[in-house]
Amino acid sequence: MGEWPGAERRDPPKTSSTWVVRHALSRWLQAQARDLRGGAPVRVLDVGCGVKPYYPFFADIASEYVGVDVVENPLAELLGPVEALPVEDASFDVVLCTQVLEHCDDPAAAVRELRRVTRPGGRVLASTHGVQVYHPSPADYWRWTHEGLRRLFTTGADWTDLAVEPAAGTGSALAMLLATYVEIALRRSVLARPPVWALNGLGTALDRRVGLLRQPVPGSLIPNLHVVAIP
Ligand SMILES: C[S@@+](CC[C@H](N)C(=O)[O-])C[C@H]1O[C@@H](n2cnc3c(N)ncnc32)[C@H](O)[C@@H]1O
């Protein structure tokens, strides 16, 4: 698995300010892939695939793993935006869309497309930010609350099941934001690693200890949200 690109996303170092997001995302996708194991092989579409960092999690259960990206990308088989995917209706069993919705022009059209290309009973696995600093790829437009993201998914698309869950809690979000500025202040040098590691540990420990910090309640800050949507 280490040889496939994106190892730092599958197994992010705790010394990185993106650890809070990528660690939870990696664990969640591994659990999703485990859940699919034992069933029939699945056709997977990875939308906004980048380097397809999560391909290794699905490699042994996928009959096909197709990447699509909006920019020229040597790892993407298809070129196109999430708002107009160049694939047939209901043609994939699993559709990944990780850390893409915040970058696309029209999130409502994107969700309709994710729904259109997923077969009934298949699953869309999407993730996107609650709070995060500006990070264009190639643009950066949107952030959501858990309520807003649920509304985005239910407006204009029908699902038989929909779960929108915080990926981590308020302690983790605060740690991530502080860690981001520590990295900036220390010019992303190795000097940033110990304080970032400590902040990540502290944020996680706080969330673990105080249940309310893990809940999306008034006053909460959620770094990232995970969506399982079943047509
Ligand atoms: C932050 S990267 C995430 C890459 C990968 N999904 C991951 O989780 O590591 C955002 C990706 O979304 C792609 N992207 C941005 N806008 C898009 C759009 N409208 N349609 C499809 N892909 C888009 C970018 O080119 C980039 O590959």
Side-chain angles (χ1 to χ4, degrees):
M1 196 183 282
E3 284 161 28
W4 187 260
E8 75 293 347
R9 296 193 166 186
R10 286 188 299 281
D11 188 15
K14 207 169 179 176
T15 50
S16 161
S17 66
T18 59
W19 179 83
V20 161
V21 166
R22 290 291 173 176
H23 175 71
L25 181 52
S26 180
R27 290 179 62 149
W28 175 64
L29 289 175
Q30 286 182 75
Q32 291 291 326
R34 266 198 307 277
D35 191 43
L36 290 162
R37 210 151 279 151
V42 286
R43 289 194 81 211
V44 181
L45 182 68
D46 189 344
V47 179
C49 63
V51 296
K52 290 183 182 161
Y54 304 113
Y55 163 71
F57 298 162
F58 295 88
D60 61 340
I61 55 167
S63 56
E64 202 178 351
Y65 192 103
V66 178
V68 54
D69 211 315
V70 74
V71 294
E72 285 290 348
N73 173 348
L75 286 173
E77 287 79 7
L78 303 172
L79 178 65
V82 59
E83 297 94 333
L85 291 169
V87 305
E88 309 232 317
D89 293 1
S91 52
F92 286 86
D93 304 294
V94 176
V95 176
L96 297 188
C97 186
T98 58
Q99 309 308 122
V100 176
L101 290 174
E102 66 270 26
H103 302 289
C104 75
D105 292 345
D106 186 345
V111 168
R112 283 196 297 275
E113 277 296 89
L114 296 175
R115 169 70 180 80
R116 179 184 69 77
V117 304
T118 310
R119 74 155 171 82
R123 61 180 89 174
V124 174
L125 302 175
S127 66
T128 188
H129 287 299
V131 293
Q132 184 53 291
V133 297
Y134 176 62
H135 60 291
S137 175
D140 184 13
Y141 297 118
W142 315 106
R143 300 289 181 270
W144 283 275
T145 63
H146 62 292
E147 270 178 356
L149 194 58
R150 171 169 279 277
R151 189 184 169 115
L152 176 71
F153 269 77
T154 51
T155 305
D158 286 331
W159 308 98
T160 59
D161 200 16
L162 176 68
V164 179
E165 300 290 343
T170 298
S172 298
L174 291 170
M176 175 186 78
L177 295 174
L178 279 171
T180 301
Y181 293 105
V182 167
E183 282 182 346
I184 291 170
L186 296 176
R187 298 170 197 275
R188 301 185 197 287
S189 71
V190 293
L191 291 178
R193 290 182 192 166
V196 168
W197 181 89
L199 281 165
N200 282 331
L202 186 63
T204 310
L206 269 174
D207 283 343
R208 205 178 293 131
R209 215 183 162 98
V210 184
L212 204 56
L213 291 176
R214 300 195 298 273
Q215 304 299 319
V217 293
S220 64
L221 274 183
I222 302 299
N224 218 39
L225 293 147
H226 295 167
V227 179
V228 181
I230 302 189

